[in-house]
Amino acid sequence: MGLGKLLHDHAEHADAGGTIDHPRAYELASEVGFFGRRREIFTRLAALSRARPGDRVLDVGCGTGYLTRILAPVVGPAGQVTGVDASPPMIEYARRSAPGNCSYQVGEGQALDLPDAGFDVVVSSLAVHHIPAAERGAAVREMLRVLRPGGRLLIAEFRPPTNRLLAHLVAMLTGPAMRHNPRDLLADLLPQAGFHVEDEGDLPVMLSYIRASRPAA
Ligand SMILES: C[S@@+](CC[C@H](N)C(=O)[O-])C[C@H]1O[C@@H](n2cnc3c(N)ncnc32)[C@H](O)[C@@H]1O
């Protein structure tokens, strides 16, 4: 049984990771999976998001809220960080340790219950590959809809090792959804949705990111 199966309660689409329903196990697996560098790497993600004091930030697929808690002091008391995740146990966990300027809601990235143009920044880490493949286009369109014109997007995704044996091992441990290269996952979806893709890069421990913006009106 792979780690993916241990973290999920129910059968999911074969092409996606699905929801994660065991927040404490997820926290432990993440600390181990990032070789103790999780805070350093997520602090870099927060910087890459270009969130600034006073910004309203949305984290799609926020899980336990780890990145939202790192972003909270970046946006400060005048800002607001909202986390959305499809898993009620993950949202419950996030709420328990929420800073004052963070709030959370259960919901799906492909059908956000949030107003148009209400955010300056949207972030999403390790979550797009959890959304069913057929819904990923809708999820990216939702990210565009809730961003104000000129708003910024950061998506960070798992980057499978280039070594075929290692890639196979990772897929065995985590599930088939993590076999895909995030660039294949997002390269077409973002421009199709109307985003202006700005740059992309790799981060340590098998992550890569893409930054984009909603064109100004
Ligand atoms: C690998 S975790 C990443 C959590 C967090 N962003 C992080 O980096 O630690 C993927 C998250 O996506 C959530 N998820 C799965 N399907 C989703 C969907 N359709 N919409 C929103 N979140 C979803 C899962 O419940 C899980 O918490």
Side-chain angles (χ1 to χ4, degrees), residues 1-5 8 12-18 129-131 133 136 157-158 160 167-182 185:
M1 178 188 278
L3 177 64
K5 283 229 166 50
H8 304 215
E12 300 286 356
H13 298 251
D15 58 8
H129 73 273
H130 279 256
I131 296 174
R136 284 177 198 145
E157 270 296 328
F158 176 73
H168 187 66
L169 187 70
V170 168
M172 262 174 50
L173 282 170
T174 58
M178 288 177 78
R179 279 205 182 105
H180 304 291
N181 189 308
L185 209 67

Short mmCIF file of all heavy atoms in Angstrom, two decimals, residues 1-5 8 12-18 129-131 133 136 157-158 160 167-182 185:
data_model
loop_
_atom_site.label_atom_id
_atom_site.label_comp_id
_atom_site.label_asym_id
_atom_site.label_seq_id
_atom_site.Cartn_x
_atom_site.Cartn_y
_atom_site.Cartn_z
N MET A 1 0.85 -1.21 0.00
CA MET A 1 0.00 0.00 0.00
C MET A 1 0.88 1.25 0.00
O MET A 1 1.81 1.38 0.78
CB MET A 1 -0.88 -0.03 1.26
CG MET A 1 -1.75 1.21 1.37
SD MET A 1 -2.63 1.32 2.94
CE MET A 1 -4.02 0.27 2.63
N GLY A 2 0.57 2.20 -0.92
CA GLY A 2 1.35 3.42 -1.00
C GLY A 2 0.96 4.43 0.06
O GLY A 2 -0.09 4.32 0.68
N LEU A 3 1.83 5.43 0.21
CA LEU A 3 1.55 6.50 1.18
C LEU A 3 0.24 7.20 0.84
O LEU A 3 -0.55 7.53 1.73
CB LEU A 3 2.71 7.50 1.13
CG LEU A 3 2.59 8.74 2.01
CD1 LEU A 3 2.56 8.34 3.47
CD2 LEU A 3 3.74 9.68 1.73
N GLY A 4 -0.01 7.38 -0.47
CA GLY A 4 -1.25 8.03 -0.91
C GLY A 4 -2.46 7.34 -0.33
O GLY A 4 -3.36 7.96 0.21
N LYS A 5 -2.47 6.00 -0.40
CA LYS A 5 -3.63 5.24 0.10
C LYS A 5 -3.77 5.38 1.60
O LYS A 5 -4.87 5.38 2.14
CB LYS A 5 -3.45 3.77 -0.27
CG LYS A 5 -3.74 3.45 -1.72
CD LYS A 5 -4.68 2.25 -1.78
CE LYS A 5 -5.29 2.06 -3.16
NZ LYS A 5 -4.33 2.07 -4.23
N HIS A 8 -5.55 8.71 2.35
CA HIS A 8 -6.90 8.93 1.84
C HIS A 8 -7.83 7.91 2.47
O HIS A 8 -7.44 6.81 2.76
CB HIS A 8 -6.96 8.72 0.32
CG HIS A 8 -5.99 9.58 -0.44
ND1 HIS A 8 -6.28 10.08 -1.66
CD2 HIS A 8 -4.75 10.00 -0.15
CE1 HIS A 8 -5.25 10.79 -2.10
NE2 HIS A 8 -4.32 10.75 -1.19
N GLU A 12 -10.45 7.18 -5.25
CA GLU A 12 -10.45 8.45 -5.98
C GLU A 12 -10.24 8.17 -7.45
O GLU A 12 -9.98 7.05 -7.85
CB GLU A 12 -9.30 9.33 -5.46
CG GLU A 12 -9.40 9.65 -3.98
CD GLU A 12 -10.47 10.68 -3.64
OE1 GLU A 12 -11.11 11.21 -4.59
OE2 GLU A 12 -10.70 10.91 -2.45
N HIS A 13 -10.32 9.22 -8.25
CA HIS A 13 -10.03 9.09 -9.68
C HIS A 13 -8.60 8.58 -9.83
O HIS A 13 -7.70 9.05 -9.13
CB HIS A 13 -10.13 10.46 -10.35
CG HIS A 13 -11.50 11.05 -10.26
ND1 HIS A 13 -12.34 11.16 -11.33
CD2 HIS A 13 -12.17 11.56 -9.20
CE1 HIS A 13 -13.47 11.72 -10.96
NE2 HIS A 13 -13.39 11.98 -9.66
N ALA A 14 -8.40 7.67 -10.80
CA ALA A 14 -7.05 7.12 -10.98
C ALA A 14 -6.08 8.20 -11.44
O ALA A 14 -4.88 8.08 -11.25
CB ALA A 14 -7.11 6.01 -12.01
N ASP A 15 -6.60 9.28 -12.04
CA ASP A 15 -5.73 10.31 -12.61
C ASP A 15 -5.44 11.43 -11.64
O ASP A 15 -4.88 12.44 -12.00
CB ASP A 15 -6.38 10.87 -13.88
CG ASP A 15 -7.77 11.47 -13.62
OD1 ASP A 15 -8.15 11.58 -12.43
OD2 ASP A 15 -8.45 11.81 -14.59
N ALA A 16 -5.89 11.32 -10.39
CA ALA A 16 -5.72 12.43 -9.45
C ALA A 16 -5.49 11.89 -8.05
O ALA A 16 -5.86 10.76 -7.73
CB ALA A 16 -6.96 13.32 -9.47
N GLY A 17 -4.88 12.73 -7.21
CA GLY A 17 -4.61 12.29 -5.84
C GLY A 17 -5.85 12.28 -4.96
O GLY A 17 -5.92 11.58 -3.97
N GLY A 18 -6.88 13.08 -5.33
CA GLY A 18 -8.10 13.13 -4.52
C GLY A 18 -7.87 13.89 -3.22
O GLY A 18 -6.86 14.55 -3.02
N HIS A 129 -2.54 18.47 -8.90
CA HIS A 129 -2.55 17.06 -9.31
C HIS A 129 -3.54 16.23 -8.49
O HIS A 129 -3.77 15.08 -8.79
CB HIS A 129 -1.14 16.47 -9.28
CG HIS A 129 -0.59 16.21 -7.91
ND1 HIS A 129 0.09 17.16 -7.17
CD2 HIS A 129 -0.64 15.11 -7.12
CE1 HIS A 129 0.44 16.66 -6.01
NE2 HIS A 129 0.01 15.41 -5.94
N HIS A 130 -4.11 16.84 -7.45
CA HIS A 130 -5.15 16.15 -6.66
C HIS A 130 -6.54 16.34 -7.24
O HIS A 130 -7.47 15.64 -6.87
CB HIS A 130 -5.12 16.63 -5.20
CG HIS A 130 -4.05 15.96 -4.41
ND1 HIS A 130 -4.30 14.95 -3.50
CD2 HIS A 130 -2.71 16.11 -4.44
CE1 HIS A 130 -3.17 14.53 -2.98
NE2 HIS A 130 -2.18 15.23 -3.53
N ILE A 131 -6.69 17.34 -8.11
CA ILE A 131 -7.99 17.63 -8.72
C ILE A 131 -8.16 16.69 -9.92
O ILE A 131 -7.21 16.51 -10.69
CB ILE A 131 -8.03 19.12 -9.14
CG1 ILE A 131 -7.92 20.00 -7.88
CG2 ILE A 131 -9.31 19.43 -9.91
CD1 ILE A 131 -7.80 21.49 -8.17
N ALA A 133 -8.43 15.13 -13.44
CA ALA A 133 -7.87 15.73 -14.66
C ALA A 133 -8.92 16.52 -15.44
O ALA A 133 -8.63 17.62 -15.92
CB ALA A 133 -7.26 14.64 -15.54
N ARG A 136 -9.40 20.12 -14.02
CA ARG A 136 -8.27 21.04 -13.77
C ARG A 136 -8.42 22.34 -14.55
O ARG A 136 -8.06 23.41 -14.05
CB ARG A 136 -6.94 20.35 -14.10
CG ARG A 136 -6.57 19.37 -13.02
CD ARG A 136 -5.29 18.60 -13.31
NE ARG A 136 -5.26 17.42 -12.45
CZ ARG A 136 -4.77 16.24 -12.78
NH1 ARG A 136 -4.21 16.07 -13.97
NH2 ARG A 136 -4.81 15.23 -11.93
N GLU A 157 4.13 22.66 -7.84
CA GLU A 157 3.72 21.26 -7.99
C GLU A 157 4.92 20.33 -7.80
O GLU A 157 6.07 20.75 -7.90
CB GLU A 157 3.11 21.04 -9.38
CG GLU A 157 1.61 21.27 -9.44
CD GLU A 157 0.83 20.28 -8.57
OE1 GLU A 157 1.25 19.12 -8.40
OE2 GLU A 157 -0.24 20.67 -8.05
N PHE A 158 4.57 19.10 -7.56
CA PHE A 158 5.60 18.06 -7.42
C PHE A 158 6.31 17.85 -8.75
O PHE A 158 5.67 17.81 -9.80
CB PHE A 158 4.90 16.77 -6.97
CG PHE A 158 5.83 15.62 -6.87
CD1 PHE A 158 6.75 15.54 -5.83
CD2 PHE A 158 5.78 14.60 -7.81
CE1 PHE A 158 7.62 14.48 -5.74
CE2 PHE A 158 6.65 13.52 -7.71
CZ PHE A 158 7.56 13.46 -6.68
N PRO A 160 8.55 15.13 -10.57
CA PRO A 160 9.07 13.76 -10.42
C PRO A 160 10.55 13.70 -10.76
O PRO A 160 11.03 14.46 -11.61
CB PRO A 160 8.27 12.95 -11.44
CG PRO A 160 7.23 13.84 -11.98
CD PRO A 160 7.60 15.26 -11.65
N ALA A 167 11.67 7.65 -10.21
CA ALA A 167 10.32 8.15 -10.52
C ALA A 167 9.29 7.06 -10.28
O ALA A 167 8.21 7.28 -9.74
CB ALA A 167 10.26 8.64 -11.96
N HIS A 168 9.65 5.82 -10.67
CA HIS A 168 8.75 4.69 -10.49
C HIS A 168 8.53 4.43 -9.00
O HIS A 168 7.41 4.19 -8.55
CB HIS A 168 9.35 3.46 -11.18
CG HIS A 168 8.43 2.30 -11.19
ND1 HIS A 168 7.24 2.31 -11.90
CD2 HIS A 168 8.49 1.10 -10.57
CE1 HIS A 168 6.61 1.16 -11.71
NE2 HIS A 168 7.34 0.42 -10.90
N LEU A 169 9.60 4.53 -8.24
CA LEU A 169 9.54 4.29 -6.79
C LEU A 169 8.61 5.34 -6.13
O LEU A 169 7.75 5.00 -5.32
CB LEU A 169 10.95 4.39 -6.20
CG LEU A 169 11.09 4.01 -4.74
CD1 LEU A 169 10.89 2.50 -4.57
CD2 LEU A 169 12.49 4.38 -4.24
N VAL A 170 8.80 6.61 -6.53
CA VAL A 170 7.96 7.68 -5.96
C VAL A 170 6.49 7.44 -6.32
O VAL A 170 5.60 7.55 -5.47
CB VAL A 170 8.43 9.07 -6.49
CG1 VAL A 170 7.42 10.15 -6.15
CG2 VAL A 170 9.79 9.42 -5.90
N ALA A 171 6.23 7.05 -7.58
CA ALA A 171 4.85 6.81 -8.00
C ALA A 171 4.25 5.63 -7.22
O ALA A 171 3.07 5.65 -6.86
CB ALA A 171 4.80 6.54 -9.50
N MET A 172 5.08 4.61 -6.94
CA MET A 172 4.59 3.46 -6.17
C MET A 172 4.19 3.89 -4.76
O MET A 172 3.20 3.45 -4.19
CB MET A 172 5.69 2.39 -6.08
CG MET A 172 5.54 1.29 -7.09
SD MET A 172 6.97 0.18 -7.03
CE MET A 172 7.09 -0.19 -5.33
N LEU A 173 4.99 4.77 -4.19
CA LEU A 173 4.75 5.21 -2.81
C LEU A 173 3.59 6.19 -2.71
O LEU A 173 2.84 6.19 -1.73
CB LEU A 173 6.01 5.90 -2.25
CG LEU A 173 7.14 4.99 -1.81
CD1 LEU A 173 8.38 5.82 -1.53
CD2 LEU A 173 6.74 4.22 -0.55
N THR A 174 3.44 7.04 -3.73
CA THR A 174 2.49 8.15 -3.59
C THR A 174 1.26 8.04 -4.47
O THR A 174 0.28 8.74 -4.22
CB THR A 174 3.20 9.49 -3.91
OG1 THR A 174 3.70 9.40 -5.23
CG2 THR A 174 4.32 9.77 -2.94
N GLY A 175 1.31 7.23 -5.53
CA GLY A 175 0.15 7.09 -6.41
C GLY A 175 0.44 7.64 -7.79
O GLY A 175 1.37 8.41 -7.97
N PRO A 176 -0.39 7.24 -8.78
CA PRO A 176 -0.11 7.57 -10.18
C PRO A 176 -0.16 9.05 -10.49
O PRO A 176 0.49 9.52 -11.41
CB PRO A 176 -1.21 6.83 -10.95
CG PRO A 176 -2.26 6.51 -9.94
CD PRO A 176 -1.59 6.44 -8.60
N ALA A 177 -0.95 9.83 -9.72
CA ALA A 177 -1.10 11.26 -10.03
C ALA A 177 0.22 12.00 -9.93
O ALA A 177 0.38 13.07 -10.50
CB ALA A 177 -2.12 11.90 -9.11
N MET A 178 1.19 11.45 -9.19
CA MET A 178 2.46 12.16 -9.02
C MET A 178 3.51 11.74 -10.04
O MET A 178 4.67 12.08 -9.92
CB MET A 178 2.96 11.99 -7.59
CG MET A 178 2.10 12.82 -6.64
SD MET A 178 2.50 12.67 -4.93
CE MET A 178 3.93 13.67 -4.76
N ARG A 179 3.07 10.98 -11.06
CA ARG A 179 4.00 10.62 -12.14
C ARG A 179 4.18 11.77 -13.12
O ARG A 179 5.12 11.81 -13.87
CB ARG A 179 3.45 9.42 -12.92
CG ARG A 179 3.72 8.12 -12.26
CD ARG A 179 3.74 6.98 -13.28
NE ARG A 179 3.96 5.75 -12.55
CZ ARG A 179 3.00 4.87 -12.33
NH1 ARG A 179 1.81 5.04 -12.80
NH2 ARG A 179 3.27 3.78 -11.62
N HIS A 180 3.20 12.68 -13.15
CA HIS A 180 3.20 13.68 -14.21
C HIS A 180 4.13 14.84 -13.91
O HIS A 180 4.24 15.28 -12.78
CB HIS A 180 1.79 14.23 -14.41
CG HIS A 180 0.81 13.15 -14.71
ND1 HIS A 180 0.83 12.44 -15.88
CD2 HIS A 180 -0.19 12.63 -13.97
CE1 HIS A 180 -0.11 11.53 -15.85
NE2 HIS A 180 -0.75 11.62 -14.70
N ASN A 181 4.73 15.34 -14.97
CA ASN A 181 5.52 16.54 -14.83
C ASN A 181 4.57 17.74 -14.73
O ASN A 181 3.66 17.87 -15.54
CB ASN A 181 6.42 16.68 -16.07
CG ASN A 181 7.41 17.79 -15.90
OD1 ASN A 181 7.04 18.91 -15.57
ND2 ASN A 181 8.67 17.48 -16.11
N PRO A 182 4.77 18.62 -13.72
CA PRO A 182 3.85 19.73 -13.54
C PRO A 182 3.79 20.66 -14.74
O PRO A 182 2.79 21.33 -14.98
CB PRO A 182 4.40 20.46 -12.32
CG PRO A 182 5.79 20.00 -12.17
CD PRO A 182 5.85 18.61 -12.75
N LEU A 185 1.29 19.43 -16.92
CA LEU A 185 -0.01 19.63 -16.27
C LEU A 185 -0.54 21.04 -16.53
O LEU A 185 -1.72 21.25 -16.75
CB LEU A 185 0.21 19.45 -14.77
CG LEU A 185 -0.89 18.96 -13.86
CD1 LEU A 185 -1.23 17.52 -14.18
CD2 LEU A 185 -0.41 19.03 -12.40
#
